[in-house]
Amino acid sequence: MSNYNPYTKRQTMIAPDYEVYRYRSTYMNEVELHHHDFYEVYLLLRGRVEYIVENQLYRVRPGDWMLCSPLELHQARIATDADAYERIVLWIARPFLENLSTPRTSLTRCFDTTVPGHTNLLRLPGAVGAPLRTTVDRLCALKANKDYGSDLLAQSALVELLVGLNRAAAERGDARPTGTSDQVVDAVLHYINEHYSEALTLDQLSEKFFISKYHLLRKFDAQVGTTVHRYILQKRLLNAKQLLAGGVPPNEVCQYCGFGDYANFYRAFRAEYNQTPRQYIQAARGK
C-alpha cells in the first residue's frame, strides 16, 4: 500500500483538531493564492518550489519547513520540469493548538508575524532538522494507525514537533533565510492593506506609485502570485471573515470591507468559500 495520500485541492479542514498528509505528485496544476483559518506546516521533501507568503517570495529547498499562520495569503509555485514533487502538509486548528499551549509554552509563537525577525521559512542544519523529520514521519505513521493508544501517541508526536519547530525558530536568529521582494510592490501591498475598505483600481494605484499599470501587473504577479484585483478581493474577504466571526452583521461588513453593496459582497463571498456569509457565521458559532 502506498505511503502517500491522494491529493485534492481542498483548502478546508475536515477534522476538528489536526490533519497531516504526505503527497507525491508528478504533475500539478498551480494552486491559486489562498488563505486558511488554521495553521499550516509544510515540509518539502523533493522538487523545486517557490513559495509566496504575502509580499515575500521564498525559494524552498528539500528539507525546508514553511510555516503559515491563519489568514496569511500564500501559494506554492512548483517547477514543472521536476520529475516529482513530494511534501508533508500539516494543518492544525487554531483553538486546538492554542489549547495545547500553556502559559509557559506557546506552540503558536513560531507562526506569530509580530515576533521580531519572524520568517515563514526555516532552513535548519542537519543536527536540528533530522530529529524533526523523524518526528513528523512518526506523526504520519501514528495518525494513520488505528491501534489502541495511537491517537494519544500521535498527539504526543504533534506536540514534540511543534516544540521543536518553535525552538528552532527562536534559535535561528540571523541565520534565518529571508524572502525577496520588490520595493514598489511592497509599497502597493502596504497601501492596499491600509485602504482595502476604499475604492481601489489598478489605474489609481499605478498613478499613485508612478508606474505603468502593465509594469505593475507584471511585477505584482511575479512577487505575489496573482493579479492586483484578485489580491484586493482576497484581502477584503479575509477581513470580512474576521468581522463576521467577531459578530459584525453581514450588511455592515460589506461596507467596512469596501464592497459597496451587499449584493456584491454576497456574490464574492459565496463564489470564494462556497457558502453565504450567514452560513459562515452559523458554522463559526458551531465550532
Side-chain angles (χ1 to χ4, degrees):
M1 186 175 67
S2 171
N3 290 326
Y4 299 101
N5 299 100
Y7 176 75
T8 70
K9 288 189 175 182
R10 173 174 58 88
Q11 296 296 343
T12 55
M13 288 187 65
I14 299 173
D17 46 10
Y18 70 98
E19 302 173 17
V20 61
Y21 302 100
R22 188 192 303 265
Y23 295 126
R24 184 181 189 274
S25 307
T26 53
Y27 174 79
M28 274 193 66
N29 290 322
E30 192 169 88
V31 178
E32 288 189 353
L33 190 74
H34 62 281
H35 66 269
H36 303 138
D37 291 335
F38 45 83
Y39 296 100
E40 179 175 81
V41 176
Y42 166 104
L43 171 62
L44 180 64
L45 302 177
R46 186 179 178 189
R48 290 192 293 111
V49 176
E50 291 184 338
Y51 213 101
I52 296 168
V53 184
E54 291 292 341
N55 67 324
Q56 297 291 313
L57 174 65
Y58 299 96
R59 289 178 174 83
V60 188
R61 305 173 187 171
D64 286 351
W65 299 81
M66 291 296 304
L67 309 175
C68 290
S69 64
L71 308 181
E72 278 190 308
L73 292 170
H74 59 279
Q75 174 193 40
R77 287 179 164 179
I78 304 96
T80 56
D81 58 345
D83 59 347
Y85 169 44
E86 298 181 16
R87 65 279 188 204
I88 293 175
V89 179
L90 169 63
W91 290 347
I92 316 166
R94 274 194 284 185
F96 179 71
L97 190 56
E98 289 161 5
N99 287 337
L100 285 178
S101 301
T102 68
R104 177 179 164 184
T105 305
S106 169
L107 296 179
T108 66
R109 192 174 190 276
C110 62
F111 300 97
D112 189 349
T113 59
T114 65
V115 172
H118 170 80
T119 179
N120 299 92
L121 173 60
L122 285 181
R123 180 168 296 151
L124 306 175
V128 179
L132 290 177
R133 172 62 193 275
T134 300
T135 302
V136 77
D137 284 341
R138 188 166 74 253
L139 171 61
C140 290
L142 287 166
K143 184 66 171 174
N145 196 311
K146 303 302 180 184
D147 292 346
Y148 174 82
S150 59
D151 56 340
L152 292 177
L153 292 173
Q155 183 170 308
S156 175
L158 176 68
V159 172
E160 183 180 342
L161 176 65
L162 265 297
V163 168
L165 289 173
N166 274 276
R167 283 178 173 173
E171 293 169 0
R172 290 304 291 155
D174 294 337
R176 297 172 180 176
T178 57
T180 59
S181 64
D182 180 277
Q183 287 185 340
V184 173
V185 176
D186 284 350
V188 172
L189 286 167
H190 179 75
Y191 186 83
I192 292 172
N193 291 338
E194 293 292 319
H195 299 271
Y196 65 86
S197 62
E198 304 170 11
L200 293 173
T201 67
L202 180 61
D203 288 330
Q204 290 172 337
L205 292 170
S206 63
E207 182 178 342
K208 180 174 181 62
F209 292 96
F210 306 103
I211 182 174
S212 77
K213 59 184 179 181
Y214 305 106
H215 196 197
L216 176 57
L217 277 173
R218 182 180 62 79
K219 291 166 76 74
F220 197 93
D221 180 69
Q223 179 170 321
V224 184
T226 191
T227 65
V228 174
H229 173 77
R230 175 71 178 162
Y231 182 83
I232 293 171
L233 177 62
Q234 288 265 26
K235 274 293 174 181
R236 286 173 171 166
L237 289 171
L238 186 155
N239 284 281
K241 288 176 74 175
Q242 291 290 90
L243 292 172
L244 290 171
V248 180
N251 61 326
E252 295 181 23
V253 168
C254 73
Q255 300 297 326
Y256 293 146
C257 294
F259 286 97
D261 61 67
Y262 185 74
N264 285 333
F265 171 53
Y266 180 93
R267 284 193 296 269
F269 195 97
R270 185 166 188 174
E272 185 71 20
Y273 304 120
N274 199 32
Q275 60 182 170
T276 68
R278 296 192 185 279
Q279 287 172 334
Y280 175 77
I281 292 171
Q282 292 171 354
R285 288 175 178 171
K287 290 180 181 177

